């Protein structure tokens, strides 16, 4: 077969130089160029013959003059079938014309062409040929032949395509997900993300959302983060509130994460396998569910607080009535004592009636005392003051909106919790905020504003509630904390007990409440609570 190839080459070409180069190998030992230092020709030809790549040599018109063994394996054509035929015999006729145009333009310009053609095997099946064609030049630099080298890359192309299709499928699945997903490498760099995640970049205005949430997760989990990372343990349901700035609303997200390890694919890791850890982070927007839960919670609180208010108003009415009766009772007691000192027998009957009035008055007071409803005990637990104030604002939002009050809510982020009664503290803040709303609605002030701030230092938590109402005159500032004192006309539920109760609740929490003497644009209540309290477990 070798001799036949060589004869064909000699008969159909003028490429004596090529034959001279190849002849010793085709004709056997002894054929030598005379240069003993050069590699034996037989070795050169055997190398081409046995090369694990389909090699063909053609004339200038692509008529095949020589093929090696691998060529026959790849194409199915033996040299007897194909010698003298054009390379176009291999064509499947589906390769676009412009590819051939480019091929011929390149090789005719004495350059090497590399590309992929669609060929047809002798027995009919198509295959993809990864082909390199190099022009062979004579001493004058003129093209005499072409050498073609190709491999069947159908399988690797199919695998590559499958991989790309899989990637596209995965991408389209994660892109259609309503949950933001992101893959982060061990340097916190985003490797892959989906459409929902991309939307968060502009929606949240927190820079790279992945870095922001990673920071929150690390802060919240502390040492646990390192532990689950090194053990590749996933996490779920880590909820975070993201405060919105400007027009952006507050949103809540539930975070979940899973680690996976990928073997490195670069050359460095070819013999020494190394791996890299990635985190798949999912961010689910739970704002809607959170708002629904909050609405439900507020509804429950409204019911609880209206019951509480009912109990308090009965208490205040009874205490007010007792207070009212007490004054004439005191006068009667004084009159009785005067008469008793005079030893005046003339007024014996009057003395007796006064005693009877007193006795029945005391019975009435005692009866009223018994009717005062109990305020239920409440548990002392760690309380988030910001959360309570937020709830109270939601409880009062209808009044605030109907009056058109501008609320400036400035909570200290990361406010520490304090031990206390949630219920009592909520009543306290509700009383102060209701007072502020009343003060604004009853005055004719142009600015209708309530500002609430929270703050803390090492020992105390501070709450400041100020309004732009008429304020409380200086001389009345201590009196407003006395029972049944009110700056408004008496009647209805204006019994003047609200601030008494507020002070009582602050006292129960070992706190301090005061009216800021330096504030003149309305009224500002300043409340402070100690952060650590050694306290019995219940407040009564
Ligand atoms: P053709 O008429 O042969 O050629 C189509 C176009 O190619 C022409 O319009 C023209 O622009 C250009 N062209 C053709 N011949 C020349 C020329 N002599 N000079 C300048 N431009 C020319 N093709 C495959 O399909 N599979 C292969 O594996 C393959 N291997 C090849 C290996 C070598 C070494 C060489 C030199 C070429 C190879 N070819 C291969 C290209 C092949 O020769 C054909 O050009 C191609 O198959 C198109 O064949 P055709 O009959 O459809 O069109």
């Amino acid at each position: 077969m070798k001799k036949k190839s060589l004869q064909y080459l000699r008969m159909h070409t003028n490429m004596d130089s090529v034959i001279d180069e190849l002849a010793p190998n085709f004709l056997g030992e002894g054929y030598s160029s005379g240069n003993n230092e050069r590699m034996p020709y037989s070795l050169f030809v055997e190398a081409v013959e046995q090369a694990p790549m389909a090699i063909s040599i053609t004339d200038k018109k692509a008529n095949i003059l020589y093929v090696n063994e691998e060529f026959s394996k790849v194409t199915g054509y033996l040299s007897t079938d194909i010698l003298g035929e054009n390379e176009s015999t291999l064509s499947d006729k589906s390769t676009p014309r412009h590819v051939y145009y480019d091929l011929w333009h390149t090789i005719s310009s004495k350059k090497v062409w590399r590309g992929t053609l669609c060929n047809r095997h002798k027995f009919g099946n198509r295959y993809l040929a990864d082909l390199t064609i190099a022009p062979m030049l004579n001493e004058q630099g003129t093209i005499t032949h072409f050498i073609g080298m190709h491999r069947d890359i159908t399988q690797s192309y199919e695998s590559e395509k499958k991989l790309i299709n899989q990637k596209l499928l995965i991408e389209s699945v994660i892109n259609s997900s309503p949950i933001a997903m992101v893959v982060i490498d061990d340097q916190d760099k985003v490797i892959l993300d989906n459409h929902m995640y991309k939307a968060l970049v502009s929606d949240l205005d927190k820079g790279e959302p992945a870095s922001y949430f990673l920071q929150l997760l690390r802060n919240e989990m502390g040492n646990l983060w390192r532990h689950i990372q090194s053990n590749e343990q996933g996490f779920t349901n880590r909820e975070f509130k993201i405060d919105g700035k400007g027009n952006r609303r507050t949103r809540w997200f539930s975070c979940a994460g899973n680690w996976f390890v990928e073997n490195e694919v670069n050359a460095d890791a070819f013999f020494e396998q190394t791996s890299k850890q990635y985190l798949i982070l999912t961010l689910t927007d739970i704002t809607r569910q959170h708002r629904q839960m909050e609405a439900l919670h507020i509804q429950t609180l409204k019911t609880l607080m209206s019951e509480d208010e009912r109990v308090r108003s009965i208490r205040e009415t009874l205490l007010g009535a007792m207070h009212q009766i007490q004054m004439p009772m005191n006068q009667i007691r004084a009159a009785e004592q005067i008469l008793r000192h005079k030893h005046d027998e003339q007024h014996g009957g009057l003395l007796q009636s006064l005693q009877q009035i007193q006795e029945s008055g005391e019975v009435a007071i005692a009866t009223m005392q018994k009717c005062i409803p109990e305020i239920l005990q409440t548990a002392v637990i760690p309380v988030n003051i910001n959360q309570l104030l937020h709830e109270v604002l939601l409880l009062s939002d209808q009044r605030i909106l109907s009056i058109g009050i501008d609320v400036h809510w400035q909570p200290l982020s990361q406010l520490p919790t304090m031990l206390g009664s949630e219920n009592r503290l909520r009543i306290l803040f509700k009383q102060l905020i209701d007072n502020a709303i009343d003060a604004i609605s009853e005055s004719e002030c142009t600015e209708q504003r309530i500002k609430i701030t929270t703050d803390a230092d090492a020992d105390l938590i501070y709450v400041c509630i100020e309004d732009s109402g008429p304020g409380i005159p200086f001389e009345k500032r201590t009196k407003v904390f006395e029972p049944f004192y009110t700056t408004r006309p008496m009647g209805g539920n204006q019994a003047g007990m609200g601030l008494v109760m507020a002070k009582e609740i602050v006292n129960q929490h070992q706190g301090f409440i005061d009216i800021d003497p330096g504030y003149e644009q309305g009224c500002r209540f300043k409340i402070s609570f100690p952060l650590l309290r050694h306290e019995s477990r219940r407040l009564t």
Side-chain angles (χ1 to χ4, degrees):
M1 193 191 298
K2 285 179 191 171
K3 286 194 178 162
K4 194 167 180 197
S5 288
L6 187 66
Q7 279 161 13
Y8 191 89
L9 204 61
R10 198 181 276 285
M11 270 165 56
H12 295 273
T13 67
N14 294 320
M15 50 183 276
D16 289 338
S17 59
V18 175
I19 298 168
D20 284 343
E21 289 284 300
L22 298 173
N25 305 292
F26 287 93
L27 298 174
E29 292 305 319
Y31 197 99
S32 155
S33 71
N35 186 347
N36 293 333
E37 286 175 22
R38 288 179 69 183
M39 191 173 64
Y41 292 117
S42 58
L43 183 61
F44 164 71
V45 173
E46 278 308 312
V48 176
E49 187 61 21
Q50 293 179 29
M53 174 164 264
I55 297 177
S56 58
I57 297 175
T58 71
D59 65 10
K60 287 198 286 185
K61 290 186 175 168
N63 296 315
I64 301 172
L65 305 173
Y66 167 78
V67 293
N68 73 348
E69 280 174 14
E70 186 66 13
F71 184 96
S72 300
K73 280 188 202 157
V74 172
T75 64
Y77 292 104
L78 300 174
S79 59
T80 44
D81 304 326
I82 198 82
L83 292 179
E85 301 295 329
N86 194 279
E87 291 275 7
S88 63
T89 309
L90 301 178
S91 172
D92 174 59
K93 311 293 176 205
S94 59
T95 304
R97 306 306 291 174
H98 68 86
V99 179
Y100 293 129
Y101 179 80
D102 177 56
L103 179 158
W104 280 107
H105 180 74
T106 307
I107 60 177
S108 304
S109 317
K110 302 178 187 174
K111 290 182 199 147
V112 176
W113 182 87
R114 287 191 187 89
T116 305
L117 300 179
C118 191
N119 277 358
R120 189 170 283 272
H121 194 271
K122 184 183 175 186
F123 305 116
N125 54 311
R126 262 184 204 161
Y127 72 92
L128 290 172
D130 176 37
L131 175 66
T132 301
I133 304 176
M136 294 170 73
L137 311 176
N138 60 16
E139 280 175 2
Q140 288 73 45
T142 313
I143 298 173
T144 58
H145 300 86
F146 292 112
I147 180 162
M149 292 162 280
H150 82 263
R151 293 182 300 128
D152 179 351
I153 55 156
T154 315
Q155 267 190 356
S156 58
Y157 172 81
E158 276 175 12
S159 310
E160 196 184 319
K161 270 282 167 204
K162 270 185 197 158
L163 213 67
I164 292 169
N165 287 345
Q166 267 175 10
K167 190 171 170 269
L168 288 173
L169 183 74
I170 292 168
E171 272 175 12
S172 72
V173 168
I174 67 166
N175 273 334
S176 61
S177 163
I179 296 167
M181 291 183 195
V182 59
V183 178
I184 309 154
D185 72 4
D186 49 6
Q187 306 294 312
D188 290 0
K189 220 177 102 196
V190 171
I191 302 298
L192 188 75
D193 56 11
N194 69 349
H195 289 331
M196 282 305 282
Y197 176 83
K198 286 189 181 84
L200 287 185
V201 178
S202 53
D203 286 2
L204 291 184
D205 191 26
K206 301 279 182 196
E208 183 69 65
S211 313
Y212 180 73
F213 280 99
L214 277 178
Q215 197 55 47
L216 292 177
L217 285 161
R218 285 184 181 126
N219 286 348
E220 195 198 56
M221 289 197 219
N223 291 336
L224 181 66
W225 176 265
R226 265 197 227 124
H227 176 77
I228 62 170
Q229 185 177 19
S230 54
N231 292 296
E232 284 162 28
Q233 285 173 0
F235 58 89
T236 52
N237 296 333
R238 295 275 167 178
E239 289 187 14
F240 297 104
K241 179 183 168 195
I242 313 295
D243 290 319
K245 277 190 210 147
N247 290 337
R248 291 184 172 86
R249 64 202 174 100
T250 298
R251 291 168 76 177
W252 282 264
F253 286 88
S254 172
C255 300
N258 272 307
W259 272 279
F260 76 92
V261 173
E262 188 193 68
N263 289 332
E264 292 269 29
V265 290
N266 56 24
D268 299 347
F270 189 74
F271 289 113
E272 216 169 293
Q273 201 51 258
T274 51
S275 55
K276 208 170 176 184
Q277 193 184 43
Y278 295 89
L279 173 68
I280 309 171
L281 184 66
T282 58
L283 308 164
T284 314
D285 188 337
I286 52 163
T287 310
R288 209 159 61 96
Q289 296 92 311
H290 210 279
R291 287 200 190 286
Q292 280 170 355
M293 293 283 288
E294 193 174 62
L296 210 70
H297 179 59
I298 294 298
Q299 198 48 50
T300 314
L301 280 182
K302 270 186 184 159
T303 315
L304 280 174
M305 290 198 73
S306 71
E307 175 59 18
D308 195 87
E309 261 167 34
R310 194 183 65 81
V311 170
R312 278 178 196 284
S313 88
I314 295 171
R315 276 175 69 86
E316 278 180 26
T317 310
L318 287 171
L319 286 168
M322 284 161 66
H323 182 74
Q324 296 295 322
I325 295 172
Q326 203 65 54
M327 282 193 293
M329 287 281 292
N330 289 344
Q331 286 165 349
I332 290 167
R333 189 175 293 114
E336 185 221 324
Q337 275 168 8
I338 293 166
L339 281 179
R340 209 183 284 281
H341 280 293
K342 278 187 178 171
H343 302 292
D344 188 348
E345 286 177 11
Q346 217 182 351
H347 293 102
L350 179 60
L351 196 64
Q352 206 177 351
S353 340
L354 288 178
Q355 277 173 341
Q356 279 171 359
I357 293 169
Q358 249 195 91
E359 277 165 19
S360 55
E362 275 159 15
V363 169
I365 289 173
T367 310
M368 279 190 260
Q369 182 76 50
K370 275 188 204 152
C371 293
I372 294 174
E374 282 288 313
I375 293 177
L376 292 175
Q377 290 189 344
T378 52
V380 175
I381 54 168
V383 178
N384 182 336
I385 296 289
N386 279 350
Q387 176 63 25
L388 288 189
L389 284 162
H390 170 71
E391 284 170 5
V392 171
L393 281 172
L394 287 178
L395 283 168
S396 308
D397 66 343
Q398 277 180 354
R399 281 192 75 203
I400 290 171
L401 284 173
S402 67
I403 299 167
I405 297 173
D406 205 2
V407 175
H408 296 240
W409 168 222
Q410 294 173 359
L412 175 76
S413 62
Q414 315 285 323
L415 187 76
T417 53
M418 60 169 270
L419 282 176
S421 156
E422 266 195 350
N423 201 25
R424 291 286 167 84
L425 290 167
R426 201 180 285 117
I427 290 167
L428 159 71
F429 296 133
K430 176 99 169 57
Q431 182 64 49
L432 295 179
I433 290 172
D434 279 350
N435 282 357
I437 297 171
D438 290 343
I440 291 172
S441 68
E442 285 161 19
S443 74
E444 283 165 8
C445 49
T446 47
E447 192 192 10
Q448 300 192 310
R449 177 181 50 82
I450 291 177
K451 184 175 168 189
I452 302 167
T453 55
T454 57
D455 204 349
D457 59 24
D459 307 311
L460 298 166
I461 286 181
Y462 303 95
V463 180
C464 204
I465 299 174
E466 65 182 53
D467 64 70
S468 57
I472 300 173
F474 182 74
E475 66 280 4
K476 294 181 179 169
R477 285 184 185 171
T478 45
K479 284 194 172 172
V480 290
F481 290 108
E482 288 173 11
F484 305 109
Y485 181 85
T486 175
T487 54
R488 302 180 196 116
M490 286 288 279
N493 56 6
Q494 311 288 344
M497 287 298 283
L499 287 179
V500 177
M501 175 196 65
K503 189 162 183 146
E504 185 188 315
I505 295 171
V506 173
N507 289 344
Q508 282 168 345
H509 289 83
Q510 296 174 9
F512 190 74
I513 181 166
D514 197 11
I515 298 169
D516 185 355
Y519 189 71
E520 286 168 359
Q521 291 88 47
C523 181
R524 178 191 278 160
F525 279 91
K526 291 167 73 179
I527 308 129
S528 57
F529 297 107
L531 263 174
L532 295 168
R533 291 187 310 120
H534 301 287
E535 174 74 23
S536 64
R537 302 309 299 160
R538 303 199 86 75
L539 283 182
T540 55

